[in-house]
Amino acid sequence: MIIISIHIFPQELTEYIRLMESLNDTVNHIKNINQFKILTTLNLNETLIKHDDSVSGIINSFRTTNQNSKFGYDELITYDENFLGVNEHRNHTIDMSATGDSIIFLDSDMHFNADILAHHENAVSVLSCKHDHYIITPNTVRLWDSTWDCLVHDTFKSKSHTFYKTIDCDKLKTHNFGNVKLIPLNTFKWGGGWFNCIDANLLKKIKIPKSFRGYGPDDTFIMQCCKIMKSKNYDVQQYLLKNMVVCESPSPIKNEPKLRRDIPNFRDESNKHFHLEVNKFSKKL
């Protein structure tokens, strides 16, 4: 099973509807729709969200969007005060996954070609027989700094590091960049919800630390743990889906109600625990 894991707050509803319509466009390209399942959460934690009269409409739209999905799905609408963000949802997905599953963490503002799930489907079929643990990552446009260049498609490597702010996502996702190939990488690098497909057993082994509450460096943490595992001769390998390019909306559409202004800076709080959690993981191996 390939689980597509999506977490949204109410203000992300419009992007979520577009995302789910884009996922429906992938169906005619895949071999077996029963090998896919969407696990989706609408987070209504009242310590984070300003509730008003629009919330009931958002819930109805969320449910209707899911009902229109061509994929099987499990939906969660949560008011849990301990469910602070995407990290809790991703750990929930990891817990719900089975041995042999793969997990795609997907942000609501992502844009992608309709062929992408078919290529993930084929890649999982190949790599699950070849490696104990694997990560499959698409190409990107030029991003924040040169550390991301290992993922950047050749077309965009001469662009500035601010190019992603002006990208035409609709044009990009329909452009043919060439035959898609699986290319092994000599490093570990990816963005958390950028349509990466990760072996569920690897995620079960690493997990996202509970100290990373809400939102934080879950992708960087998992990358660092993969490096440690590889240094200790674990069979873990990242592959690039070369010529399959994804991007995020330069200006995502935000709905009401908005996040409260007095919520903690979850990333800063998580960063305080980063090195301790990496050391704890390393000692467990």
Side-chain angles (χ1 to χ4, degrees), residues 10 13 42 44 54-63 255-257:
L13 177 66
L42 172 61
L44 295 174
S54 68
V55 169
S56 60
I58 287 170
I59 292 172
N60 290 337
S61 293
F62 178 72
R63 285 176 169 157
N255 303 91
E256 297 287 349

Side-chain angles (χ1 to χ4, degrees), residues 212 217 266-277:
F212 291 8
F266 291 125
R267 177 174 285 280
D268 285 352
E269 289 299 313
S270 296
N271 283 338
K272 294 176 183 178
H273 301 277
F274 185 86
H275 294 295
L276 175 62
E277 295 291 359

Side-chain angles (χ1 to χ4, degrees), residues 95-222:
D95 290 341
M96 293 288 289
S97 67
T99 300
D101 284 349
S102 303
I103 297 174
I104 295 171
F105 294 133
L106 188 55
D107 292 341
S108 63
D109 58 355
M110 293 306 299
H111 296 256
F112 46 87
N113 187 285
D115 289 337
I116 191 168
L117 276 185
H119 288 291
H120 274 309
E121 182 181 35
N122 290 335
V124 167
S125 177
V126 171
L127 298 180
S128 61
C129 299
K130 188 173 183 179
H131 294 287
D132 292 339
H133 305 298
Y134 55 83
I135 306 100
I136 308 159
T137 309
N139 272 139
T140 67
V141 300
R142 197 82 192 276
L143 295 170
W144 308 283
D145 58 60
S146 59
T147 66
W148 294 90
D149 285 355
C150 59
L151 302 181
V152 174
H153 192 272
D154 294 342
T155 303
F156 306 105
K157 285 188 175 177
S158 62
K159 303 293 185 181
S160 73
H161 290 300
T162 59
F163 176 74
Y164 69 94
K165 295 181 179 180
T166 59
I167 189 70
D168 184 337
C169 294
D170 288 332
K171 184 177 179 179
L172 180 76
K173 71 181 185 180
T174 57
H175 184 80
N176 185 353
F177 289 94
N179 293 332
V180 177
K181 303 174 183 178
L182 266 179
I183 307 295
L185 294 179
N186 59 8
T187 188
F188 295 101
K189 189 73 172 179
W190 65 84
W194 282 55
F195 226 123
N196 313 291
C197 186
I198 305 176
D199 162 46
N201 290 340
L202 175 63
L203 292 170
K204 286 178 178 293
K205 189 172 190 68
I206 296 175
K207 296 292 293 277
I208 300 170
K210 294 293 178 63
S211 62
F212 291 8
R213 300 173 70 240
Y215 174 79
D218 58 298
D219 46 6
T220 307
F221 175 78
I222 296 170

